[in-house]
């Protein structure tokens, strides 16, 4: 008999796992807040347009069926099959006018995988990457391997433009890249040409590459001009991350790509690094890669135009309804699926912060949203704009009723300028369960 050291199992997760926290999924899976049983739940949380309102392009479905019928389900090159990479290169040229080669394209398992690869490739433990605030949960990938996230501000008073002075002030000797998200989540903002050019100038001055999160590329409302970071850069190397999730309404397909825009052969070493990292998982799904040329080439522009038009109508409806609610200040989006709403908490003294506000909204009105700390931006909550119109209107009516029940008019209270309140820790939240309806 072997010696028994201990009768108890003492197994612990690794530091990598302990530091890897997705605040959205954590809220979804560990909720202690329950909706009002007398009201059907309306969720404004998850940025999945396929839930109850939008559908995939039929041309994409046909391309997948054809690929499944023909595919042999073999191992493919880890950076993606030639036809898929060529299709992405053609897609980029058609949409942005940027000439690239198939060798500049890497096929990945979704846009999230694209970002993760870029982070792991560019930074070592203890080094940092600049990310915007508010922002998508980039820290989920950065903090596990001990890469530091340093945040730069977006200005809500200027349609969420990048605060250039603050961005530059965050750069130090350990900064390895600047991440730019355009069109943005959670703000639904599209950066101006001048704002992007200034960011590029800063990156060039400090010799920093740019990681461009372009998953919402071209998803701007009529009358808004979209500019890509890679399309405007002349000298700064850019890693552009995108995929099928949002514009093609195919989040569950899990296929994305990285496009390497290398102006001066600055990414020579980086390209070798991609080859090595890609050997960890042998590439994305083989059949979806086979279908990618058909998806990208055959999906008509009318599909994109119709999707954007429908989301714009939802966005305008939500904005116009919420702007008339006392105590809330919505910031009108100009693209993507989202709208950020400021809570004038001085008028809701019952709640200490936006987390308690959102929890009470769930408990009383069965309307669910993500509070600002999920995006590193307390004092706000995020609207998702892809639910059916009747549900969106009803959600706004319930929010109006909720605010009327709790609003306190303080005559002496001056209306505050939109600003970022003191940071709240996501880990201290009560978690809000998501219910798909």
């Amino acid at each position: 008999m072997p010696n028994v050291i201990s009768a108890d199992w003492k197994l612990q997760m690794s530091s990598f796992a302990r530091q890897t926290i997705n605040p959205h999924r954590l809220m979804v899976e560990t909720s202690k807040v329950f909706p009002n049983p007398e009201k059907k739940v309306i969720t404004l949380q998850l940025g999945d347009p396929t839930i109850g309102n939008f559908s995939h392009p039929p041309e994409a479905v046909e391309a997948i069926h054809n690929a499944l019928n023909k595919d042999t389900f073999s191992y493919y090159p880890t950076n993606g099959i030639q036809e898929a990479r060529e299709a992405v290169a053609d897609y980029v040229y058609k949409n942005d006018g940027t000439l690239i080669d198939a060798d500049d394209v890497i096929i990945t398992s979704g846009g999230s995988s694209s970002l993760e690869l870029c982070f792991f490739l560019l930074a070592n433990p203890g080094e940092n990457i600049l990310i915007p605030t508010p922002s998508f949960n980039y820290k989920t990938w950065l903090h596990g391997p001990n890469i530091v996230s340093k945040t730069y501000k977006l200005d809500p008073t200027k349609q969420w433009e990048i605060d250039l002075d603050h961005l530059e002030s965050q750069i130090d000797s350990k900064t390895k890249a600047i991440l730019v998200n355009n069109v943005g989540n959670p703000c639904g903002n599209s950066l101006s040409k001048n704002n992007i050019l200034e960011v590029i100038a800063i990156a060039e001055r400090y010799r920093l590459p740019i990681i461009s999160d372009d998953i919402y590329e071209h998803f701007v409302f009529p009358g808004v001009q979209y500019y890509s970071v890679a399309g405007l850069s002349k000298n700064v190397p850019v890693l552009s991350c995108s995929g099928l999730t949002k514009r093609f309404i195919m989040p569950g397909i899990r296929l994305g790509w990285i496009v390497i825009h290398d102006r001066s052969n600055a990414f020579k070493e980086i390209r070798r690094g991609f080859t090595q990292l890609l050997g960890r998982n042998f590439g994305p799904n083989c059949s979806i890669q086979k279908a990618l040329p058909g998806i990208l080439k055959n999906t008509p522009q009318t599909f994109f135009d119709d999707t954007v038009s429908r989301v714009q109508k939802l966005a305008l409806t939500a904005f116009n309804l919420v702007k008339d609610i006392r105590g809330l200040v919505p910031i009108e989006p100009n693209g993507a699926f989202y709208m950020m709403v400021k809570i004038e908490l001085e008028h809701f003294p019952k709640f200490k912060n936006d987390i308690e506000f959102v929890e009470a909204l769930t408990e009383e009105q069965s309307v669910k949203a993500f509070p600002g700390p999920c995006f590193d931006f307390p004092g706000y909550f995020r609207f998702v704009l892809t639910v059916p119109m009747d549900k969106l209107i009803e959600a706004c009516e319930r929010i109006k009723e909720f605010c009327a029940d709790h609003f306190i008019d303080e005559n002496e209270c001056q209306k505050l300028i939109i600003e970022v309140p003191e940071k709240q820790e996501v880990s201290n939240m009560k978690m809000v369960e998501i219910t798909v309806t």
Side-chain angles (χ1 to χ4, degrees), residues 29 75 187 260 269 272 291 306 325 429 435:
E29 295 168 3
Y75 277 131
C187 304
I260 302 171
E269 172 77 8
R272 291 203 302 271
D306 177 66
I325 299 176
M429 288 190 226
T435 301

Side-chain angles (χ1 to χ4, degrees), residues 195-330:
N195 200 227
I196 295 174
L197 286 173
E198 290 289 350
V199 173
I200 291 171
I202 292 171
E204 184 168 8
R205 188 154 59 247
Y206 290 91
R207 291 297 188 265
L208 292 173
I210 294 176
I211 303 169
S212 188
D213 181 356
D214 297 331
I215 197 66
Y216 293 96
E217 60 186 351
H218 303 287
F219 206 108
V220 293
F221 300 152
V224 178
Q225 180 66 51
Y226 170 76
Y227 297 97
S228 71
V229 175
L232 292 177
S233 176
K234 302 300 181 185
N235 300 310
V236 174
V238 178
L239 297 175
S240 173
C241 301
S242 190
L244 297 177
T245 298
K246 306 299 183 179
R247 195 177 186 220
F248 290 82
I249 318 294
M250 303 177 79
I253 288 296
R254 309 310 307 141
L255 190 131
W257 53 79
I258 301 169
V259 179
I260 302 171
H261 299 269
D262 194 359
R263 307 309 193 217
S264 54
N265 203 30
F267 277 150
K268 184 178 180 181
E269 172 77 8
I270 299 302
R271 289 175 186 269
R272 291 203 302 271
F274 272 127
T275 300
Q276 293 181 211
L277 282 178
L278 289 164
R280 296 170 69 240
N281 57 21
F282 302 104
N285 183 281
C286 58
S287 297
I288 301 303
Q289 288 191 65
K290 281 284 188 180
L292 189 58
I295 295 172
L296 296 182
K297 293 176 182 178
N298 298 335
T299 301
Q301 184 62 39
T302 53
F303 173 83
F304 305 125
D305 293 343
D306 177 66
T307 301
V308 170
S309 177
R310 290 175 60 196
V311 175
Q312 183 189 36
K313 290 177 182 177
L314 291 162
L316 288 174
T317 298
F319 175 77
N320 287 326
L321 289 173
V322 175
K323 71 182 178 65
D324 291 331
I325 299 176
R326 293 195 302 171
L328 298 183
V329 182

Side-chain angles (χ1 to χ4, degrees), residues 87-107:
V88 172
D90 291 342
Y91 173 79
V92 171
Y93 179 73
K94 176 183 176 182
N95 286 275
D96 290 335
T98 304
L99 187 61
I100 60 170
D101 188 84
D103 291 339
D104 298 318
V105 177
I106 295 167
I107 307 298

Side-chain angles (χ1 to χ4, degrees), residues 105-252:
V105 177
I106 295 167
I107 307 298
T108 64
S109 298
S112 297
S113 178
S114 298
L115 292 165
E116 181 183 58
L117 280 168
C118 293
F119 295 154
F120 288 2
L121 182 60
L122 293 175
N124 294 306
E127 296 174 337
N128 67 75
I129 290 176
L130 304 190
I131 63 174
T133 180
S135 73
F136 180 62
N137 51 308
Y138 301 114
K139 294 179 181 180
T140 300
W141 301 289
L142 292 170
H143 290 180
N146 285 313
I147 299 171
V148 178
S149 60
K150 294 188 70 177
T151 57
Y152 63 85
K153 297 176 183 177
L154 304 182
D155 188 345
T157 68
K158 296 179 180 179
Q159 284 299 118
W160 303 107
E161 289 271 277
I162 294 172
D163 184 330
L164 300 167
D165 290 337
H166 190 248
L167 168 66
E168 189 164 9
S169 73
Q170 295 297 89
I171 298 172
D172 60 27
S173 61
K174 293 187 177 182
T175 302
K176 293 301 176 182
I178 300 171
L179 184 139
V180 176
N181 179 207
N182 186 44
V183 179
N185 174 12
C187 304
N189 60 311
S190 179
L191 299 175
S192 70
K193 181 178 182 179
N194 286 339
N195 200 227
I196 295 174
L197 286 173
E198 290 289 350
V199 173
I200 291 171
I202 292 171
E204 184 168 8
R205 188 154 59 247
Y206 290 91
R207 291 297 188 265
L208 292 173
I210 294 176
I211 303 169
S212 188
D213 181 356
D214 297 331
I215 197 66
Y216 293 96
E217 60 186 351
H218 303 287
F219 206 108
V220 293
F221 300 152
V224 178
Q225 180 66 51
Y226 170 76
Y227 297 97
S228 71
V229 175
L232 292 177
S233 176
K234 302 300 181 185
N235 300 310
V236 174
V238 178
L239 297 175
S240 173
C241 301
S242 190
L244 297 177
T245 298
K246 306 299 183 179
R247 195 177 186 220
F248 290 82
I249 318 294
M250 303 177 79

Side-chain angles (χ1 to χ4, degrees), residues 283-395:
N285 183 281
C286 58
S287 297
I288 301 303
Q289 288 191 65
K290 281 284 188 180
L292 189 58
I295 295 172
L296 296 182
K297 293 176 182 178
N298 298 335
T299 301
Q301 184 62 39
T302 53
F303 173 83
F304 305 125
D305 293 343
D306 177 66
T307 301
V308 170
S309 177
R310 290 175 60 196
V311 175
Q312 183 189 36
K313 290 177 182 177
L314 291 162
L316 288 174
T317 298
F319 175 77
N320 287 326
L321 289 173
V322 175
K323 71 182 178 65
D324 291 331
I325 299 176
R326 293 195 302 171
L328 298 183
V329 182
I331 300 175
E332 186 174 1
N334 50 27
F337 300 152
Y338 313 104
M339 179 174 72
M340 287 288 275
V341 180
K342 183 181 187 296
I343 308 167
E344 295 180 326
L345 286 167
E346 69 273 14
H347 290 298
F348 302 98
K350 179 179 178 180
F351 310 116
K352 294 179 181 179
N353 50 48
D354 56 351
I355 298 169
E356 291 190 2
F357 181 97
V358 168
E359 289 175 344
L361 178 62
T362 298
E363 292 173 334
E364 295 179 25
Q365 295 291 340
S366 294
V367 174
K368 299 186 174 185
F370 281 135
C374 281
F375 312 101
D376 204 25
F377 208 77
Y380 288 70
F381 67 92
R382 188 191 73 172
F383 247 85
V384 168
L385 301 167
T386 55
V387 297
M389 181 66 80
D390 60 336
K391 289 188 176 182
L392 185 68
I393 293 173
E394 184 179 351

